[in-house]
Amino acid sequence: MRIIAPSFAILDELDRQSLPVRIEYCGRICYKSEERIDSDSAIPFVKKMAINGHNSVLEMGVATLVATCATPEPIQALFFRQPKFLHIDRLQDDRLLITGSIRAFREMRLFHPEDAICRAIVQFLGHRHPYFFETPATPKDEAAPTGVRIDKLELNEVERLAPPLCARHRFLAVKFIVNRAVTHELVRHRPCSFLQESQRYCRYSADKFGNEVTFIKPVFFAEDSAEFTMWQQAMEAMEAQYLRLLQTSSPQAARTVLPNSCKTEIIVYANLAEWKHMCALRTPPAAEPSMREVMIPLAQELERRYPTIFS
């Protein structure tokens, strides 16, 4: 067995990559198949996710757009339909700021195919990333809606928005390496998107895992304490039972003996407003100690990067 400390990483470099590259990196966390990533793997990967309807993976790519309308009717129609999972702000009477994930835009196409702004967005994104919109299909000969123009806002432009708008439209991915008790708390934050290492598919007896189970060092016990020794003995016993079960069972069956202390990786994707809310809930003295162990330094780093939002 292996024991490691918890950690986190803000994936800001990933934000500078293309949508397919971002989505593939996050998606492969689930199966711990990062070794399959190469210069040509991103588009086949995301195309497969779209065809198979693995929508949670497609939540890991977000685009911020500006919709300019010649008349008020398209804007009124969009607000009337209240499309799910989009962040919409009115910049001017004729201009909307819209941020959404690839999943959200695909579902707009599915549930509101007659909406002019929806059609304009899907055509705009579909021209650049057709593999996202093959299911549901985007008709190639569909006429572009008149009176609606879509422009993309680049990341540096999003970060220059006024703080209230930046907080809503700047999305940030954080990769946590923590125990599974911490992830049970993280996934309670509903507006976020999550992708997590899957014990159902990962076989920890494989060479790429070192033929062992990795555990997170508990914050509760000093290493020279009797309690830590008791915890370590329990983890060794659990690992032995798990590896023995793998000889006759699948990973999804063997994982039933694994404890909360198991190391897992999870990517949490949310806008800065939600990160501020999470930090406010998960850093006070009453919060769970293992959660505070990673959330306090994360909150400090976010405040350093975005002082107008987090201060």
Side-chain angles (χ1 to χ4, degrees):
M1 63 177 278
R2 192 158 71 103
I3 301 172
I4 64 172
S7 62
F8 70 89
I10 298 174
L11 303 180
D12 44 5
E13 285 303 312
L14 197 63
D15 288 334
R16 313 282 191 233
Q17 307 299 318
S18 68
L19 282 170
V21 168
R22 278 184 269 165
I23 291 172
E24 182 192 22
Y25 174 84
C26 296
R28 289 197 181 278
I29 288 292
C30 300
Y31 308 102
K32 296 304 298 169
S33 60
E34 296 96 328
E35 75 280 358
R36 298 185 183 180
I37 295 176
D38 60 36
S39 58
D40 299 318
S41 61
I43 290 178
F45 178 87
V46 298
K47 185 174 182 179
K48 182 178 180 181
M49 295 300 104
I51 290 173
N52 291 336
H54 293 324
N55 290 325
S56 60
V57 179
L58 300 178
E59 292 177 16
M60 292 291 163
V62 160
T64 299
L65 308 170
V66 175
T68 305
C69 301
T71 63
E73 285 77 16
I75 293 176
Q76 293 169 359
L78 182 70
F79 282 130
F80 178 78
R81 292 185 172 92
Q82 297 181 337
K84 295 188 298 181
F85 310 125
L86 295 181
H87 295 269
I88 305 174
D89 283 283
R90 201 160 193 160
L91 297 176
Q92 296 173 356
D93 287 347
D94 63 342
R95 297 173 70 220
L96 297 179
L97 183 64
I98 303 173
T99 297
S101 69
I102 293 301
R103 174 183 184 172
F105 292 128
R106 278 167 49 91
E107 291 190 355
M108 278 185 67
R109 171 68 191 174
L110 181 64
F111 297 116
H112 305 292
E114 74 289 352
D115 185 87
I117 294 177
C118 163
R119 288 183 11 239
I121 288 174
V122 171
Q123 285 199 350
F124 178 87
L125 291 174
H127 177 73
R128 290 157 177 77
H129 308 284
Y131 33 81
F132 288 135
F133 296 98
E134 292 178 1
T135 56
T138 303
K140 301 296 186 295
D141 57 350
E142 184 179 85
T146 58
V148 179
R149 189 182 81 244
I150 304 297
D151 298 290
K152 185 178 186 297
L153 219 60
E154 299 298 335
L155 183 61
N156 62 339
E157 296 175 294
V158 175
E159 294 200 321
R160 289 199 300 267
L161 292 169
L165 288 176
C166 181
R168 282 172 50 78
H169 295 270
R170 174 59 165 111
F171 276 65
L172 201 64
V174 178
K175 176 183 174 182
F176 293 93
I177 301 178
V178 290
N179 68 40
R180 295 187 75 89
V182 169
T183 64
H184 293 339
E185 296 205 7
L186 284 171
V187 298
R188 293 179 64 193
H189 291 272
R190 299 295 188 270
C192 303
S193 296
F194 308 96
L195 287 178
Q196 184 174 356
E197 176 181 338
S198 173
Q199 289 182 340
R200 183 184 179 195
Y201 294 104
C202 292
R203 181 182 288 270
Y204 297 119
S205 61
D207 290 343
K208 70 177 180 178
F209 297 108
N211 315 111
E212 61 185 351
V213 180
T214 299
F215 299 95
I216 296 294
K217 181 178 179 286
V219 69
F220 304 98
F221 314 129
E223 287 193 56
D224 58 353
S225 67
E227 290 84 358
F228 185 87
T229 299
M230 187 183 306
W231 171 85
Q232 186 170 2
Q233 290 171 346
M235 296 308 102
E236 289 170 348
M238 290 302 98
E239 180 190 49
Q241 297 287 6
Y242 169 79
L243 294 175
R244 189 173 297 119
L245 281 171
L246 280 180
Q247 296 175 11
T248 58
S249 307
S250 65
Q252 68 180 352
R255 68 173 173 165
T256 56
V257 302
L258 292 175
N260 275 341
S261 288
C262 278
K263 163 262 180 187
T264 188
E265 298 180 21
I266 186 170
I267 293 179
V268 184
Y269 198 33
N271 65 12
L272 294 180
E274 181 60 19
W275 279 117
K276 183 177 181 179
H277 172 68
M278 291 173 65
C279 291
L281 287 182
R282 302 300 186 177
T283 57
E288 202 277 334
S290 300
M291 177 71 82
R292 295 181 78 232
E293 192 175 17
V294 289
M295 290 301 293
I296 289 175
L298 173 60
Q300 293 170 342
E301 178 60 21
L302 290 173
E303 184 174 359
R304 185 188 70 81
R305 296 185 184 204
Y306 301 98
T308 59
I309 294 172
F310 284 85
S311 59

